[in-house]
């Protein structure tokens, strides 16, 4: 069957992200005997003309559209992406009678409302690999499923989790805009952060990929595609079971070393684990701190406190590994006193760059959603298609915005609002710089600097 996959993401902050999910679905479809064409909307300058030309040329029988984001979850500079997908579907229908299927993280968060709003034929919630293959088989056999929304069980693990079928032409666009290629080592999350949809979307256990296949992906990206840095996209890289240690040990064994970065949970990480990270090429880590005080960390459902953030940050910076921390203000249990304490904590966090958000995007099927209803911040029937941000009762957003701006403005390493550097990063990429970019803001002479890419 001829399948046409579209990645509809147009978000570029902090840098464009290769459509990994689409590539995994593509691989599953190809292995099942289908012919697959991948089209990246961002890579094609968001051109409807190019999209329609490709669809008419390929004449697919089924078209899958991947939605990565509903919006940019930034209360200071809101951007909504649903209308783009709606326009894509409308344009496709003007030239093709193919079945249109929605999927991806964003769709899985609000499936019923998005399917109705966008007007596609079907939608897949959760892991799309198996269900997309099943759907193509049914359509080919003339058996149209009665249910418009198909839900995955989120039970794939090991080599059942597909390798990505990296499209070199699409990947080259992303490498030329930062040289960071993404690899997934596992799915799911065991943690209980009140705002997070990962456990709902991918399950509340870690499901690890086959380590050999993960390393094969890394080597392909580096050797065949000339990627300068790898980003491990897992919700948390340093899992409690130690699978990340096994991956790093195997990389050392196979002499695989490449600059990489990942999301890290702030906890004590052993010296041996740090050494493995260094041997395999770690350049920097993004620490999921989130709360800036012990009170708000507890309110967010975190299992760590601010002293753990300090210790984790120090473990990396003492080994000359760059760190970025991410914080949200307005969390449950936030007060004026914790705002002031949090500002002080962030400013005094050593040798790191911190990105600061105001408010938390409320998503369905999260504990924060229940909290917001109970506190009468939202009504139970609010479908949350339009962004609503949680700010703890009793706090004024304007006061918080002014307070955060005034206190963080003198400090180059405290970035508020969080997208303040977006244009600067794009400019550096155009000059040929590659890598993290945020590490340039880290105080001190020992900070890492990305190497400038040689022009061919």
């Amino acid at each position: 069957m001829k399948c046409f996959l579209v990645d509809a993401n147009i978000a570029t902050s902090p840098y464009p992200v290769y459509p990994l999910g689409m590539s995994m679905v593509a691989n599953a479809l190809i292995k099942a005997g289908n012919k697959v064409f991948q089209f990246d909307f961002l890579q094609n300058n968001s051109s409807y003309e190019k999209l329609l030309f490709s669809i008419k040329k390929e004449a697919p029988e089924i078209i899958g559209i991947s939605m990565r984001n509903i919006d940019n979850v930034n209360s200071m500079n809101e951007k909504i992406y649903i209308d783009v997908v709606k326009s894509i579907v409308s344009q496709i229908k003007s030239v093709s009678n193919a079945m249109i299927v929605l999927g991806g993280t964003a769709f899985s968060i609000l499936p019923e409302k998005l399917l109705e709003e966008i007007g596609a034929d079907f939608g897949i919630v959760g892991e799309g690999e198996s269900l997309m293959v099943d759907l193509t088989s049914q359509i080919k056999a003339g058996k149209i499923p009665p249910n418009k929304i198909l839900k995955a069980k989120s039970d794939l693990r090991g080599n059942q989790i597909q390798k990505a079928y990296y499209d070199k032409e699409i990947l080259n666009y992303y490498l030329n805009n930062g040289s960071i290629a993404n690899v997934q080592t596992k799915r799911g999350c065991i943690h209980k952060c009140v705002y997070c949809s990962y456990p709902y979307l991918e399950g509340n256990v870690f499901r690890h990929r086959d380590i050999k296949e993960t390393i094969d992906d890394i080597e392909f990206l580096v050797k065949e595609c000339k990627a300068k840095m790898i980003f491990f996209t897992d919700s948390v890289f340093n899992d409690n079971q130690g699978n990340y240690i096994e991956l790093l040990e195997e990389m050392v064994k196979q002499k695989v070393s490449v600059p990489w970065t990942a999301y890290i949970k702030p906890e004590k990480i052993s010296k041996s684990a740090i050494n493995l990270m260094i041997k395999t090429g770690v350049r920097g880590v993004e620490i999921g701190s989130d709360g800036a005080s012990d009170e708000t960390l507890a309110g967010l459902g975190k299992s760590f406190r601010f002293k753990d953030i300090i210790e984790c940050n120090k473990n990396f910076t003492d080994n000359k590994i760059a760190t970025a921390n991410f914080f949200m203000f307005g969390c449950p249990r936030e007060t004026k006193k914790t705002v002031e304490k949090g500002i002080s904590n962030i400013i005094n966090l050593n040798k790191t760059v911190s990105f600061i958000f105001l408010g938390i995007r409320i998503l369905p099927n999260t504990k924060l959603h229940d909290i917001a209803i109970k506190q009468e911040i939202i009504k139970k029937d609010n479908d949350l298609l339009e962004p609503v941000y949680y700010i703890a009762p009793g706090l004024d957003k304007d006061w918080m915005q002014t307070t955060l701006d005034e206190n963080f403005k003198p400090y180059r390493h405290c970035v508020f609002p969080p997208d303040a550097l977006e244009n600067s990063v794009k400019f550096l990429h155009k000059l040929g710089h590659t890598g993290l970019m945020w590490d340039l803001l880290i105080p001190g002479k020992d900070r890492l600097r990305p190497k400038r890419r040689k022009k061919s």
Side-chain angles (χ1 to χ4, degrees), residues 274 277-278 282-285 316-323 448:
I274 294 285
M277 291 180 179
I278 293 170
V282 66
R283 286 294 179 270
V285 294
F316 286 107
T317 59
D318 282 354
N319 286 280
K320 294 184 169 48
I321 299 169
T323 66
L448 294 171

Side-chain angles (χ1 to χ4, degrees), residues 34 53 123 344 367 419 450:
N34 298 285
F53 175 83
S344 176
K367 189 174 180 181
D419 58 349

Side-chain angles (χ1 to χ4, degrees), residues 215 218-219 222-223 247-259 276 278-281:
I215 293 177
I218 295 170
E219 292 196 300
V222 174
K223 294 178 180 179
L247 171 65
L248 296 175
E249 287 175 339
E250 189 61 27
M251 288 176 67
V252 171
K253 184 178 177 180
Q254 295 189 32
K255 298 181 180 179
V256 176
S257 180
V258 55
L276 283 172
I278 293 170
K279 287 179 181 178
T280 53

Side-chain angles (χ1 to χ4, degrees), residues 236-293:
V236 175
F237 183 67
N238 53 323
D239 58 292
N240 293 0
Q241 297 98 321
N243 185 266
Y244 81 104
I245 299 291
E246 294 179 33
L247 171 65
L248 296 175
E249 287 175 339
E250 189 61 27
M251 288 176 67
V252 171
K253 184 178 177 180
Q254 295 189 32
K255 298 181 180 179
V256 176
S257 180
V258 55
W260 63 265
T261 183
Y263 296 126
I264 295 291
K265 178 191 174 187
E267 60 185 9
K268 185 173 179 60
I269 298 177
S270 68
K271 180 65 177 176
S272 60
I274 294 285
N275 288 337
L276 283 172
M277 291 180 179
I278 293 170
K279 287 179 181 178
T280 53
V282 66
R283 286 294 179 270
V285 294
E286 300 187 4
I287 301 175
S289 302
D290 293 340
S293 67

Side-chain angles (χ1 to χ4, degrees), residues 29-264:
L29 288 168
I30 291 168
K31 287 169 71 174
N34 298 285
K35 182 179 179 182
V36 179
F37 184 89
Q38 297 183 71
F39 184 95
D40 185 84
F41 200 56
L42 188 60
Q43 180 228 351
N44 284 278
N45 297 314
S46 302
S47 169
Y48 293 103
E49 183 179 352
K50 290 181 179 179
L51 173 63
L52 299 187
F53 175 83
S54 297
I55 288 175
K56 286 188 282 189
K57 179 182 176 182
E58 297 298 323
E61 298 157 90
I62 187 169
I63 298 173
I65 300 176
S66 176
M67 296 180 63
R68 182 172 180 264
N69 304 99
I70 298 173
D71 51 77
N72 65 344
V73 297
N74 181 0
S75 68
M76 304 286 292
N77 181 23
E78 288 188 0
K79 294 178 182 178
I80 313 297
Y81 304 123
I82 296 169
D83 285 345
V84 172
V85 186
K86 193 173 182 178
S87 295
I88 287 174
V89 170
S90 176
Q91 293 280 332
I92 289 173
K93 286 183 175 181
S94 71
V95 299
S96 173
N97 292 319
M99 290 286 186
I100 301 176
V101 185
L102 298 179
T105 303
F107 177 77
S108 297
I109 291 173
L110 291 168
E112 289 82 7
K113 187 62 181 177
L114 287 173
L115 188 64
E116 176 189 348
E117 184 77 16
I118 293 169
D121 298 299
F122 293 97
I124 292 177
V125 176
E127 297 172 324
E129 297 99 322
S130 298
L131 286 182
M132 192 64 173
V133 169
D134 291 344
L135 183 57
T136 56
S137 298
Q138 291 178 65
I139 292 173
K140 187 175 182 180
K143 299 177 181 179
I144 307 300
N147 296 324
K148 298 298 183 183
I149 295 178
L150 312 174
K151 296 186 178 182
K153 295 180 181 179
S154 295
D155 58 357
L156 303 179
R157 57 187 69 231
N159 56 19
Q160 291 178 325
I161 299 175
Q162 293 293 323
K163 289 168 60 68
Y165 189 85
Y166 292 100
D167 181 293
K168 286 188 176 181
E169 185 177 341
I170 295 175
L171 182 63
N172 191 53
Y173 164 80
Y174 290 90
L175 296 183
N176 286 334
N177 286 274
S179 292
I180 300 178
N182 40 347
V183 172
Q184 186 180 56
T185 81
K186 58 182 169 295
R187 292 179 181 173
C189 189
I190 66 171
H191 303 298
K192 303 183 185 301
C193 306
V194 301
Y195 59 87
C196 186
S197 58
Y198 263 108
Y200 170 73
L201 296 176
E202 298 187 354
N204 56 5
V205 297
F206 285 129
R207 294 174 291 116
H208 305 284
R209 282 187 65 201
D210 180 81
I211 287 177
K212 180 182 181 302
E213 288 194 352
T214 303
I215 293 177
D216 286 346
D217 280 351
I218 295 170
E219 292 196 300
F220 171 79
L221 289 168
V222 174
K223 294 178 180 179
E224 298 292 326
C225 304
K226 310 303 179 187
K228 300 292 193 301
M229 178 172 280
I230 298 296
F231 174 44
F232 293 118
T233 63
D234 311 0
S235 59
V236 175
F237 183 67
N238 53 323
D239 58 292
N240 293 0
Q241 297 98 321
N243 185 266
Y244 81 104
I245 299 291
E246 294 179 33
L247 171 65
L248 296 175
E249 287 175 339
E250 189 61 27
M251 288 176 67
V252 171
K253 184 178 177 180
Q254 295 189 32
K255 298 181 180 179
V256 176
S257 180
V258 55
W260 63 265
T261 183
Y263 296 126
I264 295 291

